[in-house]
Amino acid sequence: MTFLKIKQSFLLVIILTILLFIFYSFRLAETPDGITADEASYGYNGISLADNLHDQNGRFLPIFILGTDGVTWYPPYMQYLAALFFKLLGPSVFAMRFATVFVTVLSALLMFYFARLLLNKKYGLIALLSFMITPEVLIETHTPFEHMIVIPFVLIWLISLYKYKLHLERKYLIFAALSLGISIYSYGGVRPLVPIWVLASSFYIIYLTGKQFLAPLLTFAVTILPFFAIIPILEHYYSGAVLNRVSFKVSSIYSFFYYYLASFDISFLFVTGDKLLVQSTGRHGMFLLSTLPIFLVGIYQAFRKGSAFLTLLGVTFFISPLLYGFVGSAFFAHRLLYMVPFYCVFFILGIKKLLENRYKFLRYGSFILIFLIMINFLDFWRYYIFNFPKDTYHLFHHLEDRNKPYQELYHQAKNRGLEPFLSTRVARLDKVNISDPELFSRALYFPKLPNVLDEQKDLLPENGILLSDQDNLPNVKKLAVDILPFHLYIRP
């Protein structure tokens, strides 16, 4: 019987995994229509790392990756995951975004497992559905940044603390500390959150163990301490990569509380969403508006039930963005993705309370609310998947405007058995005025820069084909291809 249950559980996970990949991969390369400069930088470095294990600056397997602007540092986890999928699937926008899909599917399965631990399989599936209908999750899954990588670390930390509550085995404290420690280098926006989570975990460990708290607390502290201790070393080799964006300054007590309280602005969380339109529809919140009543009931239940762990969740949810008062971050939903696991737990607690309520009108009312949630989600999903690409077209860089010359050069060289060349002006080896989208467009077809030729001084080899922005070059034949303002030349 036990074997049969394991087999059924394994089959359920397989089915859920397939469905999740299908759901999050739908129109992945088309929504949004185009890429941002950050996406292009991720893609360019990812292709370079997949090709020769060096980033665009020639660093071998760097921990942090420096962008073209010479200022922006990209964390390693999503960058190397993108490189892996470029290696497996070949360079493309789809492959780059599929790296985020992988993280989202992992997060969804962890959410299912966590809710199942807390309640049962039924509520695990409801938690999974609440995760899937969260607008910000779908939006961030279609933008291959490092934001989504925060969620699995939060879930592993919470699962480990809950398992420690059940078994009081110190290995779970090690898992919790490792998850928090590793998360420090997953995304800059999580760094002001981790110290709060460490403190919350420490108080929870003391509460659970009483007078015997010293050994468990030391286990937790010793495990996580190295992740903080290496910050000066990383700053030495990657100046500004860890601490540059976390400058703890506050102009006044009012400013501090403005940024802190802004994280819980109801209209922001449930109506408007992220203030960056490339990561928000502007008409749907981070969470669905129709789920607000259930969410509020769930928060109330978390504090009312008297469970130490649920109280920990409630308190941690509210104190986590405390240091954002120093950092000065407000109305960026992508920096508050840590809320998603907490939201899903509060959601199932609210659903449970409504469905099991002794008053019939509340039980029946909950079914009406669930119907409204379905309508709300379908409205968001339809708009984001099909209308958002058109409405935000002007906000993104479009590869079809840039990669056509490189695509034509690639295919002509391959079909004719010729060696591709770029003119010095097209290659722009000094990188003056060359953008990340153009670098990414070129790298999709040429991970390594083709040979460069100065068409004013050098003669094109017999076996060569040249991409140039010059018209009517002497001693060569222009091919009849539509890639203006560029031209392709071969030897006559």
Side-chain angles (χ1 to χ4, degrees):
M1 188 66 180
T2 303
F3 175 76
L4 182 60
K5 286 184 177 180
I6 294 174
K7 190 175 181 180
Q8 289 175 341
S9 296
F10 180 74
L11 181 61
L12 176 63
V13 170
I14 294 296
I15 293 172
L16 289 177
T17 301
I18 294 172
L19 292 176
L20 286 166
F21 271 114
I22 293 172
F23 175 73
Y24 285 113
S25 298
F26 181 67
R27 287 184 57 85
L28 186 62
E30 292 78 26
T31 304
D33 187 355
I35 63 173
T36 66
D38 280 331
E39 272 189 271
S41 188
Y42 256 97
Y44 181 52
N45 278 288
I47 292 172
S48 181
L49 287 165
D51 180 64
N52 56 36
L53 304 182
H54 290 76
D55 69 1
Q56 68 180 91
N57 298 296
R59 299 190 185 197
F60 177 72
L61 296 178
I63 297 176
F64 293 93
I65 293 85
L66 185 62
T68 305
D69 60 9
V71 176
T72 305
W73 290 98
Y74 296 102
Y77 309 145
M78 288 306 299
Q79 183 68 85
Y80 281 101
L81 193 58
L84 174 63
F85 280 101
F86 283 142
K87 197 70 174 177
L88 295 175
L89 304 178
S92 68
V93 172
F94 179 88
M96 177 170 60
R97 292 179 177 173
F98 194 75
T100 316
V101 172
F102 178 85
V103 172
T104 301
V105 171
L106 173 62
S107 301
L109 294 174
L110 285 170
M111 189 69 247
F112 166 71
Y113 176 70
F114 182 39
R116 184 178 177 180
L117 274 179
L118 289 176
L119 296 175
N120 55 41
K121 184 187 292 185
K122 178 179 75 174
Y123 286 103
L125 290 172
I126 293 174
L128 176 61
L129 286 173
S130 70
F131 183 92
M132 292 177 66
I133 64 172
T134 300
E136 194 64 24
V137 170
L138 183 60
I139 291 171
E140 293 300 332
T141 301
H142 280 243
T143 52
F145 303 131
E146 63 271 21
H147 309 145
M148 278 301 298
I149 196 69
V150 172
I151 295 181
F153 288 121
V154 170
L155 280 165
I156 293 170
W157 163 57
L158 293 175
I159 290 169
S160 300
L161 285 185
Y162 188 70
K163 288 243 182 183
Y164 179 73
K165 171 186 176 293
L166 296 178
H167 307 290
L168 292 179
E169 296 180 15
R170 292 180 197 169
K171 66 180 181 181
Y172 295 115
L173 295 181
I174 295 175
F175 296 153
L178 286 174
S179 185
L180 289 185
I182 295 171
S183 74
I184 294 173
Y185 306 103
S186 64
Y187 168 49
V190 81
R191 288 167 203 148
L193 305 175
V194 173
I196 302 295
W197 296 340
V198 171
L199 287 175
S201 302
S202 300
F203 282 115
Y204 184 64
I205 292 167
I206 293 171
Y207 173 82
L208 289 180
T209 53
K211 295 180 180 180
Q212 308 298 319
F213 74 87
L214 189 57
L217 190 60
L218 278 175
T219 300
F220 180 80
V222 168
T223 305
I224 200 169
L225 184 60
F227 293 97
F228 288 97
I230 64 171
I231 289 177
I233 300 173
L234 292 173
E235 278 291 304
H236 174 73
Y237 289 101
Y238 304 92
S239 180
V242 182
L243 299 178
N244 186 49
R245 298 185 181 181
V246 187
S247 54
F248 292 93
K249 298 178 182 178
V250 59
S251 58
S252 70
I253 190 69
Y254 304 106
S255 172
F256 173 86
F257 279 106
Y258 167 78
Y259 289 110
Y260 167 67
L261 293 174
S263 300
F264 304 103
D265 185 299
I266 296 296
S267 62
F268 153 63
L269 290 176
F270 289 91
V271 181
T272 59
D274 201 300
K275 68 181 181 181
L276 297 178
L277 282 179
V278 296
Q279 292 174 287
S280 169
T281 66
R283 51 190 283 179
H284 302 90
M286 180 176 176
F287 307 109
L288 292 177
L289 177 60
S290 54
T291 65
L292 179 57
I294 295 175
F295 171 75
L296 294 176
V297 171
I299 289 181
Y300 175 71
Q301 289 299 303
F303 286 102
R304 179 177 177 273
K305 282 185 170 293
S307 163
F309 186 76
L310 292 180
T311 301
L312 171 72
L313 291 183
V315 171
T316 306
F317 174 78
F318 285 109
I319 67 172
S320 290
L322 195 62
L323 295 183
Y324 278 159
F326 290 106
V327 178
S329 174
F331 305 117
F332 292 108
H334 61 276
R335 295 181 183 173
L336 295 173
L337 282 170
Y338 86 88
M339 289 184 173
V340 173
F342 294 87
Y343 163 84
C344 292
V345 171
F346 298 147
F347 185 87
I348 61 173
L349 291 177
I351 286 286
K352 187 174 187 296
K353 178 62 178 177
L354 292 175
L355 293 180
E356 298 176 359
N357 200 284
R358 60 193 177 116
Y359 297 108
K360 287 186 178 180
F361 76 93
L362 285 177
R363 292 203 301 270
Y364 294 144
S366 64
F367 289 110
I368 296 174
L369 196 54
I370 290 171
F371 175 74
L372 292 176
I373 290 172
M374 292 172 56
I375 298 299
N376 193 179
F377 173 72
L378 288 174
D379 173 68
F380 158 74
W381 183 84
R382 178 193 59 80
Y383 176 79
Y384 179 70
I385 293 296
F386 297 106
N387 296 101
F388 180 80
K390 294 178 287 186
D391 291 348
T392 59
Y393 183 86
H394 62 288
L395 298 176
F396 294 88
H397 300 277
H398 302 283
L399 295 183
E400 62 270 18
D401 299 335
R402 300 171 183 271
N403 67 7
K404 191 174 181 181
Y406 304 112
Q407 181 184 44
E408 192 67 38
L409 174 64
Y410 174 81
H411 289 301
Q412 290 285 350
K414 184 178 180 181
N415 293 337
R416 294 172 181 267
L418 300 175
E419 183 178 357
F421 286 82
L422 299 181
S423 74
T424 52
R425 286 166 56 93
V426 172
R428 282 180 261 184
L429 295 179
D430 55 1
K431 296 186 179 179
V432 174
N433 297 325
I434 191 165
S435 64
D436 286 319
E438 185 169 343
L439 289 170
F440 178 52
S441 297
R442 188 169 70 198
L444 288 173
Y445 296 96
F446 299 100
K448 293 179 181 177
L449 185 72
N451 290 325
V452 178
L453 182 144
D454 187 342
E455 65 269 58
Q456 304 299 331
K457 299 177 182 178
D458 303 320
L459 183 66
L460 180 66
E462 291 284 349
N463 65 335
I465 179 170
L466 172 67
L467 177 66
S468 173
D469 61 349
Q470 299 295 302
D471 195 8
N472 297 321
L473 291 178
N475 304 318
V476 288
K477 175 185 176 183
K478 184 193 297 185
L479 297 182
V481 292
D482 181 20
I483 55 172
L484 292 176
F486 298 95
H487 308 277
L488 284 180
Y489 295 96
I490 61 173
R491 288 292 296 277

